């Protein structure tokens, strides 16, 4: 199986963190991005990220808006997303 480097937007939320966990458990590397807005309780989001970080070495989290071109360019340049 070929492992991938996958970008997951909204990685701190319910669906994003669950998706990240599945990808990580199959051996992929996950690069998460989330702006941590108030739509979803930030404490829950922080807990979701903490759980992923504590269980998987191949998880990296970035905080910011996916509409931020500089942030996204940095992530793509640095992380080698496949």
């Amino acid at each position: 199986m070929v492992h991938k480097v996958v970008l997951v937007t909204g990685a701190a939320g319910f669906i994003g963190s669950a998706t990240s966990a599945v990808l990580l458990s199959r051996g992929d590397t996950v690069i998460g991005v989330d702006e941590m807005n108030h739509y979803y309780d930030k404490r829950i989001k922080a807990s979701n990220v903490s759980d992923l970080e504590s269980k998987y070495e191949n998880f990296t989290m970035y905080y910011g808006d996916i509409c931020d071109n500089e942030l996204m360019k940095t992530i793509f340049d640095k992380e080698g997303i496949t």
Side-chain angles (χ1 to χ4, degrees):
M1 177 184 224
V2 176
H3 298 289
K4 299 177 182 178
V5 180
V6 182
L7 175 70
V8 176
T9 61
F14 177 74
I15 295 170
S17 63
T19 300
S20 294
V22 169
L23 293 167
L24 290 160
S25 68
R26 73 177 195 184
D28 292 328
T29 295
V30 171
I31 310 304
V33 179
D34 201 299
E35 67 176 336
M36 301 291 280
N37 63 31
H38 295 289
Y39 179 77
Y40 191 85
D41 189 333
K42 285 185 177 184
R43 292 172 296 179
I44 296 171
K45 285 185 162 191
S47 176
N48 292 343
V49 171
S50 180
D51 286 347
L52 292 170
E53 289 175 331
S54 68
K55 292 178 184 174
Y56 302 100
E57 291 181 11
N58 50 334
F59 176 74
T60 302
M61 187 69 194
Y62 288 88
Y63 297 94
D65 190 332
I66 63 169
C67 294
D68 179 341
N69 290 332
E70 287 300 314
L71 172 65
M72 298 310 294
K73 181 177 179 344
T74 298
I75 292 170
F76 274 86
D77 288 348
K78 182 177 180 183
E79 301 297 344
I81 294 164
T82 55

